[in-house]
Amino acid sequence: MKRMIPSPQSLGVVIALLAATSAGKSALVLAFVPHPPRLTATTSHPAAGLLSPPRKFVRPVGRRRGGWEDAAADALVPRAARKGKSGSDGDLVEFDVGSSKNGVNDNPARRAALEGVLQRIERNYGRGSIVKLGDAGGMVVDCVGSGSMTLGFLPQINCLGLGYVDAAMGGGYPKGRVVEIYGPESSGKTTLALHALAEVQQTGGTAAFVDAEHALDPAYAKSLGVDVDALLVSQPDSGEMALDIVDQLVRSAAVDVIVVDSVAALVPRAELEGAMSDMQVGLQARLMSKALRKITSSLSGSQCTVIFLNQLRSKVGVMYGSPEVTSGGNALKFYASVRLDTRRREVLPDNMGIRVRVKVVKNKVAAPFRVIELDILFGEGIDKMGSLLDAALDLGVVQRRGSWYSYQDTNFAQGRLNAGVYLKENKAVAKKMEAEIREVMLTAKMPASSVDPNDESIIFDDELDPSIAPEGSSILE
């Protein structure tokens, strides 16, 4: 028997019984002894044994509306019968909470409650503020071409659909997202950004360039295919001005791609107005954090891609690990959907250009951590024929035997440089090779055995949306 501390009520009953016994009189004492609200052990007090046999009280469930009396009454209800709540007349009203199977609620009461909540949310915040994911068509991620077959080019559907698996970014720069390209000096960051602007303009879109470094070369941009007459250019005086211009362009929903060159050059106004000896800690990081909080909320609705170019800095006192860090704080790392790390590997023969290694260090729309290498030719930009040749080799469209390259069992060039020159001179062969690469990539993404011809969600080559893949579009044009 467990030893428990008696309550004041039980002591009163014991005293009354002892008084009646000592007086030599037989007395019947009727008393109600409420138990503590959270008494869960077996009642073994002597006072309880005088009134009734030992009884197990279970912990009451639900809200206690009437104090100890209602709690004690709830505790006397068997656990198996406790499926509902007490009605206004004190009787136990049982109800079934319903079950959910395959996302469909079987209880009409819960469905009605959910519909009422959804209507109230739309009434307070506007139509479309909450929808089912299957009805949210605006969340499908489309892509902007990058100008390289291996890095990512405009797919025939979208990034999350039947895009090309061997493109490093899964199809291209995602629309409505933030992209960061960083790396050391002379590693091709601005070249990649200018190719994205050229790809957008070729499809009839509008592009903007925020030149915070004041270092844009119009002649080089024109040689990469950028329409300099239609390109929107801004050279802001401060970081606040640059990010405010980006915010207004995004909210206008009239610009497709915005390039900010670069984050390290976004100088806060307080730093410009202060002296050289002033210590402003974290000004640029707070500026970037606030700007990204404002910009990302309107990016999805405008389907605009913002590409931030960033520089590298070295942390002091790092003994283990990489001391490299990007400027502007950590906010851009989290808000960016795609982050590209560019590194210069070598200089091409005859000083024709450089070979760049691009690593996708973050990708929220496709598989990350893919690494590709591409050639950047001085005055021409990305070597598209070299990227086409690399993609053909990876997929087996072109075979390499020693130093000879063969296509359809026919040797056409010796050496990679000569193979690129051959493809430049024979546009018909290059386009045929590109079409075969697209077909192989699509087959690798969706095997023929798993394709259902009656599935309306799959878009085949003969029924492509012209707005996504214009007729006759090619990475070589």
Side-chain angles (χ1 to χ4, degrees), residues 69-91:
E69 289 78 6
D70 286 348
D74 290 342
L76 297 177
V77 178
R79 189 183 299 270
R82 200 173 298 142
K83 297 182 180 179
K85 62 181 180 178
S86 300
S88 59
D89 54 353
D91 297 333

Side-chain angles (χ1 to χ4, degrees), residues 6 52 72 81 160 163 204 210 212 214 226 237 243 278 321 324-325 331 425 427 433 446 456 466-467:
S52 61
L160 299 181
V210 180
H214 297 71
V226 178
D237 299 329
L243 294 173
D278 294 343
E324 294 179 345
V325 62
E425 296 176 352
K427 296 290 185 179
M433 187 182 298
M446 181 65 68
E456 299 179 354
S467 63

Side-chain angles (χ1 to χ4, degrees), residues 215-387:
L216 178 63
D217 186 4
Y220 181 64
K222 186 176 182 180
S223 63
L224 265 59
V226 178
D227 186 1
V228 295
D229 296 331
L231 179 65
L232 302 176
V233 179
S234 173
Q235 292 184 335
D237 299 329
S238 63
E240 287 86 354
M241 177 181 173
L243 294 173
D244 185 63
I245 290 174
V246 172
D247 183 34
Q248 294 186 34
L249 290 177
V250 169
R251 293 179 183 273
S252 68
V255 182
D256 297 292
V257 173
I258 303 174
V259 175
V260 180
D261 186 17
S262 64
V263 175
L266 299 178
V267 186
R269 188 175 289 109
E271 187 174 329
L272 290 173
E273 297 174 353
M276 285 291 184
S277 59
D278 294 343
M279 295 293 294
Q280 291 102 357
V281 180
L283 279 181
Q284 193 179 37
R286 292 197 301 268
L287 175 64
M288 285 296 299
S289 180
K290 183 178 180 180
L292 289 170
R293 286 196 300 267
K294 294 181 62 177
I295 292 173
T296 52
S297 61
S298 55
L299 273 179
S300 178
S302 63
Q303 290 295 296
C304 175
T305 302
V306 180
I307 302 176
F308 286 95
L309 306 184
N310 210 342
Q311 300 176 4
L312 290 178
R313 298 291 185 267
S314 295
K315 294 183 289 186
V316 180
V318 177
M319 299 297 295
Y320 303 98
S322 176
E324 294 179 345
V325 62
T326 55
S327 59
N330 293 327
L332 185 56
K333 296 180 182 179
F334 292 95
Y335 282 101
S337 295
V338 175
R339 301 183 71 224
L340 301 180
D341 182 4
T342 62
R343 308 281 172 161
R344 185 180 66 231
R345 296 299 301 272
E346 59 181 352
V347 179
L348 298 179
D350 299 331
N351 200 25
M352 296 176 55
I354 59 175
R355 187 158 183 83
V356 177
R357 175 179 176 268
V358 181
K359 180 180 180 181
V360 184
V361 297
K362 180 183 178 181
N363 197 343
K364 297 176 70 174
V365 296
F369 310 122
R370 292 179 176 174
V371 181
I372 59 106
E373 292 187 0
L374 50 87
D375 295 338
I376 296 180
L377 305 179
F378 295 148
E380 299 181 15
I382 296 177
D383 185 10
K384 297 183 179 181
M385 293 301 172
S387 299

Side-chain angles (χ1 to χ4, degrees), residues 51-115:
L51 295 178
S52 61
R55 176 183 298 174
K56 288 186 178 180
F57 292 98
V58 295
R59 187 186 300 273
V61 180
R63 178 180 297 179
R64 298 169 183 169
R65 297 177 301 276
W68 281 21
E69 289 78 6
D70 286 348
D74 290 342
L76 297 177
V77 178
R79 189 183 299 270
R82 200 173 298 142
K83 297 182 180 179
K85 62 181 180 178
S86 300
S88 59
D89 54 353
D91 297 333
L92 188 65
V93 179
E94 296 187 3
F95 63 91
D96 186 10
V97 296
S99 60
S100 179
K101 184 179 181 181
N102 297 329
V104 180
N105 192 2
D106 298 334
N107 193 336
R110 296 188 65 180
R111 285 200 303 270
L114 178 60
E115 292 176 359

Side-chain angles (χ1 to χ4, degrees), residues 131-143:
V131 295
K132 294 181 180 180
L133 184 58
D135 300 333
M139 296 183 66
V140 177
V141 183
D142 294 331
C143 296

Side-chain angles (χ1 to χ4, degrees), residues 7 52 84 113 211-212 231 317 339 345 395 410 415 424 427 451-452:
S7 61
S52 61
D211 187 18
L231 179 65
R339 301 183 71 224
R345 296 299 301 272
L395 297 176
T410 302
K424 289 180 182 179
K427 296 290 185 179
V451 175
D452 185 5

